[in-house]
Amino acid sequence: MGVSLDIGALRARKSAPAAGIPLPAAGSPPAAATPPPAAGSPPPAAVSPPPAAVSPPPAAGIPAPEAVNLAAAQADGLGCHAGADTMRAAARAAGLSETLETYARDYPAGPHDQPQSMCPAFGSLRVGLRMRRTATILSGSACCVYGLTFTSHFYGARRTVGYVPFNSETLVTGKLFEDIREAVRTTADPALYDAVVIINLCVPTASGVPLRLLPREIDGVRIIGIDVPGFGVPTHAEAKDVLAGAMLRVARQEAERGPVQAPRGGRDGRPSLTLLGEMFPADPVQIGAMLEPLGLAAGPVVPTREWRELYAALDGAAVAAVHPFYTAAIREFEAAGRPVIGSAPVGHDGTAAWLDAVGDACGVPRATVEAAKNRLLPPIRAALAERPIRGRITLSGYEGSELLVARLLIESGAEVPYVGTACPRTRWSDPDREWLEARGVTVRFRASLEHDLAALQAIRPDLAIGTTPVVQKAKEMAIPALYFTNLISARPLMGVAGAGSLAQVVNAALGNQARFEAMRGFFEGVGTGHAAGIWEDVPVRRAPVPRKAAQKPIGEMA
């Protein structure tokens, strides 16, 4: 049964861009969503015609694929090995300048090109695969699709990943777009899916394969086409935002037009706070408990697990940007008139400041906020004191929660001189950055592996928390280390549950220093220099063999 969202503010702000957020120019298509049809043009066909040996005439209102500039694909070497600059220039030549400019604003790469991480498209793929009644199709080089599929299933995906193959001929002639359109038409079964997501990887993006020309829906199934090239989206964390923002845009436009689906569990009578950014499953529960004394409820977590949750997310009284780099999603929330706050209820100080920010954003009386703080903060302080952490720790990662983890470690008693994150600095990360810098922490956004390793070498901490290569280097230096993604970010961080969650694993790692020293003493020198390689017998030192006299050139022989 449909419900009407409270979108009075949404409609009032349709013509006014959100302050501080760059929006596409009026009348231009969005970067990651299908644009509305031009005034006076007929709507796109509900079902696209099947491919044939000769390209069929385009549906009304949809330009023919041949009209798209594919000149970039006609040169040799346009592949994954061509380099970011070449691919970027080709994409601009193919008509995707606006998309790349939007990505450059949303996800600034500096000071260097981009951090080292897995293929960014994995982030968008992960978001789609975790949603109910959502199909995901990839368009890209076979090697890329294989790697992304393998990684998805390694991280627990139990759903088929669609793939539209191509070769040089289908790419250049526009037949690839027809194949994509047919794949989408075949997949869009309303009995199975609410949405079909098609993701262009590097080569189709650079070649200008025009996903924006796909029909916006087929038989009621939404069609969402996005370009997620490695030369335009710096990290897989931000690629989650590309798809989340595209979905929110479509959902917001649907809510503007009329009643939409209610949440699966019905609507809570209290105002809700939408949570932005993936987090440990227990954290939304903890946040809900902290919001209860304020008369608020925890809303959906974006990226959501099903389409109908997007409407409830847009209907929240405010948005908590727990992960502050979801720029495209924040743009949609602000276009809907929803205020956005940064940071999260992490540790004592973080929770106190966050409750104040939530109260201000949602209009909660100051007396109610203070009463809630008096109730919630003492148990958090006690939990931190009960499980102290003693040691110097460097921290780096690419998930987006690195600054929050650093705050929790410091409030637990640890010394954290360096924090590196592959994600960019935004105004929603400022509260955490300012808190850390006030305590002498060096915070580096868009940190590269070289930055993280330089900090490791200079500081020589008691424990290094970081990515796989950082952990590897630390262990070579006989420094205990923990992999951030699997061992740190997969733990609760919020409220009382988060206050003591890191102590056990961190203190256990800090206690392993003696073991690392023993192992380094035993293995030092093995596998390096002359000891590298595989030996079947114990090497025996032999007398050097005298060199033979140099032979005369053939022309000088008798």
Side-chain angles (χ1 to χ4, degrees):
M1 180 177 179
V3 298
S4 295
L5 299 186
D6 179 14
I7 55 173
L10 183 152
R11 291 195 175 95
R13 295 189 52 169
K14 284 176 62 178
S15 60
I21 303 296
L23 292 175
S28 61
T34 306
S41 63
V47 179
S48 303
V54 178
S55 300
I62 300 179
E66 289 77 11
V68 179
N69 181 7
L70 296 178
Q74 298 175 3
D76 291 338
L78 182 59
C80 300
H81 60 281
D85 291 339
T86 301
M87 302 284 277
R88 197 175 292 114
R92 289 195 177 98
L96 288 181
S97 294
E98 185 175 355
T99 297
L100 294 181
E101 289 168 4
T102 300
Y103 286 169
R105 291 194 302 266
D106 287 351
Y107 318 116
H112 49 278
D113 181 23
Q114 67 184 99
Q116 302 93 328
S117 74
M118 68 179 71
C119 171
F122 173 66
S124 294
L125 179 61
R126 177 183 174 92
V127 168
L129 290 177
R130 296 180 71 184
M131 290 185 68
R132 300 185 186 97
R133 293 179 53 82
T134 300
T136 305
I137 301 173
L138 297 178
S139 170
S141 300
C143 55
C144 300
V145 173
Y146 170 79
L148 288 167
T149 304
F150 174 85
T151 307
S152 298
H153 291 299
F154 178 82
Y155 279 94
R158 298 181 180 180
R159 195 179 305 171
T160 298
V161 178
Y163 172 41
V164 181
F166 67 90
N167 55 35
S168 298
E169 180 180 354
T170 62
L171 187 65
V172 172
T173 62
K175 179 63 163 57
L176 174 57
F177 175 75
E178 297 175 14
D179 292 343
I180 291 173
R181 186 168 56 185
E182 174 62 14
V184 169
R185 187 193 67 80
T186 303
T187 304
D189 182 351
L192 300 176
Y193 301 116
D194 295 325
V196 174
V197 176
I198 173 72
I199 302 173
N200 264 350
L201 305 182
C202 287
V203 173
T205 297
S207 304
V209 176
L211 298 183
R212 62 188 178 277
L213 301 184
L214 292 171
R216 291 193 290 181
E217 68 173 45
I218 297 175
D219 293 339
V221 179
R222 303 159 187 88
I223 308 302
I224 303 202
I226 55 175
D227 295 282
V228 191
F231 56 83
V233 181
T235 66
H236 82 282
E238 290 156 294
K240 298 175 185 177
D241 177 51
V242 173
L243 181 53
M247 288 184 163
L248 281 167
R249 185 180 185 89
V250 174
R252 179 171 63 84
Q253 291 169 347
E254 292 175 350
E256 288 177 336
R257 291 195 294 267
V260 293
Q261 277 184 308
R264 184 177 295 272
R267 300 183 69 184
D268 193 309
R270 298 170 294 174
S272 64
L273 182 71
T274 298
L275 308 177
L276 186 55
E278 289 185 317
M279 61 192 79
F280 188 76
D283 281 338
V285 178
Q286 289 290 316
I287 291 175
M290 287 185 279
L291 292 174
E292 186 176 359
L294 302 181
L296 304 173
V301 177
V302 177
T304 62
R305 293 304 181 94
E306 61 180 327
W307 187 271
R308 64 201 298 167
E309 290 180 355
L310 292 167
Y311 306 128
L314 289 163
D315 196 35
V319 179
V322 177
H323 286 190
F325 55 84
Y326 278 77
T327 310
I330 288 173
R331 180 161 56 241
E332 297 305 320
F333 283 119
E334 292 196 326
R338 307 310 185 218
V340 180
I341 63 172
S343 193
V346 169
H348 178 277
D349 292 359
T351 301
W354 188 80
L355 290 172
D356 287 337
V358 170
D360 292 340
C362 297
V364 180
R366 172 53 51 185
T368 302
V369 174
E370 292 300 325
K373 289 164 63 176
N374 291 336
R375 169 183 166 185
L376 298 172
L377 295 180
I380 294 175
R381 187 188 295 276
L384 292 169
E386 183 180 353
R387 298 183 178 180
I389 297 174
R390 300 285 183 260
R392 176 180 292 187
I393 301 172
T394 58
L395 176 67
S396 56
Y398 48 65
E399 299 293 339
S401 57
E402 290 77 26
L403 275 63
L404 297 177
V405 172
R407 292 190 64 153
L408 191 53
L409 290 172
I410 290 173
E411 287 210 42
S412 298
E415 178 187 355
V416 183
Y418 172 82
V419 177
T421 175
C423 296
R425 173 181 170 180
T426 69
R427 60 189 177 98
W428 301 282
S429 63
D430 282 345
D432 299 321
R433 177 189 57 80
E434 292 167 358
W435 189 92
L436 291 170
E437 290 179 344
R439 286 152 182 80
V441 181
T442 297
V443 180
R444 181 174 287 278
F445 296 94
R446 285 284 188 246
S448 66
L449 175 60
E450 290 76 15
H451 289 135
D452 296 339
L453 294 180
L456 181 68
Q457 293 278 6
I459 297 170
R460 292 191 170 267
D462 302 314
L463 173 67
I465 299 174
T467 58
T468 301
V470 172
V471 169
Q472 177 184 354
K473 184 62 177 179
K475 291 181 177 179
E476 288 179 1
M477 298 168 62
I479 296 174
L482 295 172
Y483 179 37
F484 184 92
T485 300
N486 286 3
L487 297 175
I488 301 299
S489 68
R491 293 176 179 273
L493 299 176
M494 316 298 172
V496 177
S501 66
L502 299 181
Q504 182 176 4
V505 65
V506 170
N507 285 330
L510 286 168
N512 283 335
Q513 183 63 56
R515 295 175 60 189
F516 276 91
E517 294 287 352
M519 285 191 289
R520 182 173 64 174
F522 184 81
F523 289 106
E524 192 167 15
V526 175
T528 62
H530 74 280
I534 300 175
W535 301 84
E536 296 181 358
D537 300 309
V538 177
V540 177
R541 182 178 295 277
R542 296 175 179 174
V545 178
R547 297 179 60 187
K548 296 181 179 180
Q551 293 182 344
K552 294 182 179 181
I554 294 177
E556 299 180 11
M557 289 185 177

